[in-house]
Amino acid sequence: MPAAAYSGPPQSPAPAAPSGTNGEERSSLAPGAEQPYPAGAADAAHPQPAADPAVPHRPDLQKTGAPQPAPGQAADPGQTAAPGATGSQSAPMDAPAAPVAGPDAPQEGTDGAFIPHPGDGGPRPASAPTPHAPGPHPAPTDHGPTPTPAYAPLPAQAPTSHPTPHHTPTPQGAWHQYDPWSAPLQGGPVAPPPGRRSRRGPLVVGAVALALIAGGVGGGIGAYVERYGGLSDIKLSQSGADEGGRKPDSVAGIAQTALPGVVTLHVRGSAEQGTGTGFVLDHQGHILTNNHVVEPAGSGGEISVTFSGGQTAKAKVVGWDGGYDLAVVQVEGVAGLRPLTLGNSDSVRVGDPVVAIGAPFDLANTVTSGIISAKQRPITAGGKKGDGSDVSYVDALQTDAPINPGNSGGPLVDAKARVIGINSAIRAADSGGGPDGDSQAQGGSIGLGFAIPINQAKRVAEELINTGRATHPVIGVTLEMEYAGDGARVSERSKDGRQPVLPGGPGAKAGIKAGDVITKVDGAPVHSGEELIVKIRSHRPGDTLVLTVQRGGKERSVRLSLGSSSTG
């Protein structure tokens, strides 16, 4: 059917198409170009096929010879652009073809690509002439108005910011896509049907959302893997439980045997309170500890005993002795008592392994180990009262097993868990002098701990339990404690109403006189008055000693039998 010519309102000149290889500019509307149908005529005559899915709609692509909408402006669905000319609409496929004439008509070998009509099924063969409607057509001029359809034309394409590349000429009739960022498509691009919106925006939004979700999931998985090393639980190799016992002479074996018989004492008085350690002596509930541990309770204080299993009970003082720094307390109504076995301190050798048990700084059931560092260390402790009545003289066992405040009164045991001493004093770095029996007032252990030998403690404990007081061996003389020479000097004058040598006493019977210097006890050197007292108190009343005495520059030996005095 021949197309009817339609003259529309004047239209501004169409934008110039890119030139061919000769660089000349040509008008997109050639003389004799076909005129557009009225709106909707061509669409009714030719149903539009679906857009080619292989070619996405690209509103940003600039096509040769066809004005495009400005960026961000959608094309009117009712408007269709003529292929290759502005202001015209393509004719039906059965319209008689007329050759395009004029100096600006596309020539073979030049850049003359066209855009197919939205209703066309594809590109025309290169040899077929471009169909045009018959009839007169006004030739475009450089400045004259161009016929336009009755509807408004598409707005002009906004200038691109990228330079338009020079393309190699294509044969006449071939489709050419003008896209600086992609290669020409085979068969030419297919324009999307009018009225169909681009899906690029939703696709981009969906892709961004998917990327964000994937990034979040990946980040979470990465953090989990970094922290835990994998998506599954980590299983570390471990040896099986050790159900075997320990050797009885190991530290663990010794502690297992001794701990049930060790207790922690909490003492409260009207002005003082403190913590110490003790151990069970028998099934009657007698517990041996240091005198300076229970001393704060006085006569009206309170003593609480806590056993290793956690059971607690009230205790009362049975007897005490400041000269030996020993005390015995008793608990009643406690079942399952575990008395510790007493050893023999005279059999101990330097280097023997020992274990100390106590509550340093109120940390109950603390076990430390070491060795016997020395024997017969003469130490004095106490002396807070000033009159010397509370001074204790101990022929001590020295150990490097850590002993700290709160260990006082606890047992020092040998490799068979037998008690060989009572931990009583330490020498701290800040003590500035001799050992101090009040270990709770000292700093931490520096490896110099001292224990009362159990042979001495056993005798005193028995006397305290049986009589409530302890006896001290004496020689019946008054010593000059300020003497700076070597040995223990007997005073030359009376002191506090007492004569230097007690008449009828052990010393007087042995022939000791005022001013004599005692230098040895049973052949062991004595360097001071304190050492002489320590040596004497390490024996029982009635024991016989051999003393070496200097008088007038001459040395002599005397034998004496120790007397007895009681305190408590």
Side-chain angles (χ1 to χ4, degrees), residues 301-349:
E302 180 180 296
I303 301 174
S304 175
V305 175
T306 303
F307 293 84
S308 62
Q311 185 180 6
T312 62
K314 300 297 182 181
K316 64 179 182 178
V317 177
V318 174
W320 57 270
D321 186 273
Y324 287 110
D325 193 21
L326 292 172
V328 174
V329 300
Q330 186 178 17
V331 295
E332 295 180 354
V334 178
L337 295 175
R338 299 279 298 273
L340 296 187
T341 303
L342 304 184
N344 189 333
S345 54
D346 290 341
S347 301
V348 173
R349 297 293 181 265

Side-chain angles (χ1 to χ4, degrees), residues 38-65:
D43 294 339
H46 301 279
Q48 298 178 359
D52 188 353
V55 182
H57 178 61
R58 295 287 301 275
D60 59 334
L61 298 181
Q62 180 179 354
K63 298 179 177 59
T64 304

